Structure formats: structure tokens, C-alpha cells
Amino acid sequence: MNNTFLEIKNISKTFPGVKALSDVNFSIKKGEVHALIGENGAGKSTLIKILTGVYQADDGGEIFINGKKVTLKNSLESLEKGIAVIYQDFSLFLNLSVAENIGMGLEVEKKKKFFDWKNVRSKAKEALDLIDLDIDLDTPVGELSIAKQQMIAIARSLVCDASLIIMDEPTATLSKEETKILLSLIKKIQKTGVSILFVSHKLEELFEVADVFTVLRDGNYIGTYPANQIDEKKLITLMVGRQIFFERKTRKIGDSTLLEVKNLSKRGNFKDISFSLKKGEILGITGIVGAGRTEMMEAIYGATSYDSGEIFIEDKKIVIKNTKDALKNKIAFVPEDRKNLGLVLNKTIEDNIVISNLKKISSKFGKLNFDLKFKEAESWIEKLDIRPKDCQLQTKKLSGGNQQKVVIGKCLSTNPKILIIDEPTNGIDIGAKTNIHDLLRELADDGMGIIMISSDLPEVLAVSDRILVMRKGKITGEFLGEEATQESIINKAILN
Ligand SMILES: Nc1ncnc2c1ncn2[C@@H]1O[C@H](COP(=O)(O)OP(=O)(O)OP(=O)(O)O)[C@@H](O)[C@H]1O
Ligand SMILES: [Mg+2]
């Protein structure tokens, strides 16, 4: 018996000026969890778009499903042939109920004119039972958490009888606990014989579920490796072409205090937060998701309000009511959820980078200096290693990770004194991570004060001069970077 569900042969994809994929060959077995990995821009999302009919491969490529050659001209054709994809935005109807959203797939599948609501409800219930999700069928999907919405999207692909479910960085927006739930769900789905193609930059979580790893590098197929015959170190070398280490570097920090926060509180979110940040210091803030880290930083940045407490910048008390106040005080914030924030996808990399900072590149009379504009963009493309290095490329043509780097560049281009950066390397490949770490150190060496929120402990330990640990809205621990260990941090984050 042939247990291969999908086989691709000589798949290439050429965009004007870029060969995103060159002669990729591999197959996915029935009931297999198949990890697809590679650096930012390696071609992962492009391959997924070919499998889901969004893009057509170059001539000469072949796709076989259950041994039969197929063409996938659009997403409906892919779905009919058993390939479903969970998009980053889940493509759900937020104002419709859970049952309606799940049933939608079912009814579209049958191309019926009228919905058979009784059938929809019972099928939706079956799908939810299958994935152990206890949610009222009548809840509008918009009221659910992101993690639950993702589950609904998965349930919808299950009722469509998908044989292969593709997930492109499904855990990028999930907390550690939510990720755990998703991973165990994946194992459960796998037992029903459905295959999963899973893209992620987090090797640790992939090792928990993947049977095999396929590695892409610069659009080339490097190989497929059984999970029990390879380790993280080898995979990184295959992806990046070299070994990667996170190194601690001892840095000199200034004496003057840039930011001081005193007894900042917000009911239900955080309580009595006091800390300071020196010129040139990188302050790491960590804790499990839900500890109140992001909420607290949003308040300092003026994205939300606080109930009481004081904020001082260079010993001057300031009031931050909104993000404009923050900008005036030279505080910049790079949010965790960069996908929904900040990029004008039809505009070029250059336009996006300078957009919040037109003054810097204009003459006294407000006339745009195109030379300065270009230079400003070039310098961030260089520092952040945005690929391809082409100022004039529309940002929608960049890979996900490179889009994220543009958002970071746009924010840094405002010359902040204080930078608050939330999960700086979420969605960024392991090689580019060290690059961002070096950049943060460089900026701090030039006098910027940096607050880095991160759940990635190796990152926190490598980059922070000082570390604050939060738990349930309070600061529960403080360490000097060189003294902290994973264990000591986890202790303060969970126990205490
Ligand atoms: N519509 C497009 N037009 C031109 N080039 C494109 C287009 N879409 C993708 N590319 C290019 O194809 C290459 C592969 O991009 P892809 O999005 O597949 O990478 P990826 O492996 O998913 O990376 P990431 O981990 O950053 O999401 C990149 O060089 C990207 O700039
Ligand atoms: Mg991608």
C-alpha cells in the first residue's frame, strides 16, 4: 500500500528578479507531521501558496496527490483535493457563530444553495468534540481568544475532510500554554490519518510534534530528515550554513537614569510597578505570557492608560496620555503583533521605513530630500539585513520575517531615546536573531535605553544587562544579566 499523500517534483517559482524556489522535491506521508523550516525568505510561504493554489509553480513542476498528478489552480481546487490551510488571520467571520463558521466549509464544499442548519450544527459539534473543544456553538467567533479562533479554523478544515492541513507559523501569536494545547491537538489530528505541514522558527516546539523535517535554503531543497535522526544543532547548520551561538557580551552602561517608573498600577493588569532604566542599558523583561508585561509597557507608551503612579524621563515628571505624548518624549514601541501594525503593503521598503519620520529627511521648509530618504532606508536595510536589499521593493513582496524587520526599522528611524521592543525576534530566523541582538547592543552603546520584553529565555539571558521577572502583574524578581540563569528566572516567573 502506498502511504504517500502528497508528492512534489521539481517545483520552482520565479518572481521578477527573485527565484523563490528552485527544483524542490519531497513528499508527505499520510498521518505525518511534517515540519518545513528555513531562514527568512527561504521560500516556505511561497511553497505553501503553491500547494494551496494561490500561486502557480513555474513550468516543469509536478504535484501528485495519492499518486495522481494534479493541477491546483485556486484555493477551492486545493481544498477539494484535500489540502486545507490555516491562514494567519484564520479567515473567519467574526460576527458569525462558531457553528456557522465551522459549517461554512461543509456547505461550501457541497456547493449547496441552502444551508442545512441542523446538519451544520451536528457536524460542528462533532468537529469540536474531536478536538476536545468545549465552546458554545452560538458564541460569535469574534468574542473568542486568538487561540480559540485558531481552533475553530482547524475544526473547519476537519469538517471539510482535509487530508493535509497546512499551518504557516501558527504559534507566532500564541502563548506558551496555548502552544502546548495546539501541539497536542496536532498529535490528535495526526492519529486520524490526517497529515500536517507545519512551518515555524521555533525548533523546540517542532521537535515535540514533527516526524520529519524538510529544510529549505535560499529556495533550494536541502533534504528531509527523520526527527529521531537529527538534532537542533544539525538542523540550524543545514538552514543557515553555519553554527549559531547566543553569546553574552559585557557592556558598559551609562550612569544617568533615562526612565524612572514609580508605583505604576492599573486595576486588573499590573500593580506597584517601580523600576528604572539607565542610558545605554538593555533591560530585559520576562515572565510567562499573561504576567502583565505587555500591558505595563503599553501604558508607558500611552497605548493604554494607567490608574496611578508616576513616570519620569531624565528626572522630569511626564504625563503620557497617548502615543503622541510618548513620541514627543522620544519613546518608541515595537509591538509584538507586527503583522497587523504598521506596514503599508503596497508601498516600498523605503517609504515604509521613513513614514513616521518625514521631518528627518526634509529640508527646513518641509521639502522632502530624496537623497536623504534613500540613505535613511538603505542604512536600516543594511543594519537589519533586510532581504532582498532593494529599497524600491513593495513590502508585500517580502517574506514574513523581512516584513517584521521593516517594522523594526521604521520604529528605529524615529531616533528614540527609549526603545520598548516586544518579542524582538518573534518570526525571525535563528541566524537573523543574532543580527538583531547585535543591533540592540549597538544602539545601546550609542546611548539608547532599551526595554526588551521577551519570553525567549536564551535571548533574555544573552542580551539583557539587567532582567526583571514579572508574574501576575507584579515584578517578582530582578537579576543582573550575568548572574541570572534559566532556573532562577523560571522560579520567579512561576513560583514565588
Ligand atoms: N509576490 C512576490 N513578489 C516578489 N517576490 C516575492 C513575492 N513573494 C515572495 N517573494 C520573495 O520570495 C522569497 C521567499 O519568500 P517566502 O515568503 O516564501 O519566505 P519564507 O521562507 O516564508 O520566509 P519567512 O520565514 O520570513 O516567512 C523572498 O525572497 C521573497 O522576497
Ligand atoms: Mg513565511
Side-chain angles (χ1 to χ4, degrees), residues 13-21 36-49 55 168-169 199-201 216 218-219 339 387-388 393-405 427-429:
K13 179 72 191 170
T14 314
F15 295 112
V18 184
K19 186 135 200 200
L21 295 169
L36 181 63
I37 60 172
E39 287 183 286
N40 295 132
K44 305 176 297 292
S45 296
T46 303
L47 182 60
I48 288 176
K49 285 178 186 153
Y55 292 153
D168 195 354
E169 299 193 43
V199 174
S200 169
H201 288 289
L216 295 181
D218 291 331
K339 284 227 164 61
R387 297 183 199 186
L393 199 69
Q394 287 179 313
T395 50
K396 71 170 175 213
K397 296 185 177 169
L398 291 175
S399 79
N402 282 293
Q403 288 180 347
Q404 303 225 24
K405 293 184 204 166
I428 287 181
D429 73 59

Side-chain angles (χ1 to χ4, degrees), residues 177 277 303 310 383:
E177 295 75 58
L277 173 74
E310 296 170 304
K383 283 183 196 149

Side-chain angles (χ1 to χ4, degrees), residues 183-195:
L183 295 180
S184 64
L185 173 58
I186 287 177
K187 285 186 192 153
K188 206 159 171 205
I189 294 174
Q190 166 185 36
K191 289 212 183 88
T192 67
V194 172
S195 318

Side-chain angles (χ1 to χ4, degrees), residues 442-461:
E442 221 175 275
L443 292 167
D445 285 343
D446 287 343
M448 199 183 282
I450 299 177
I451 298 176
M452 176 184 81
I453 306 171
S454 175
S455 316
D456 184 334
L457 286 186
E459 170 169 280
V460 171
L461 289 167

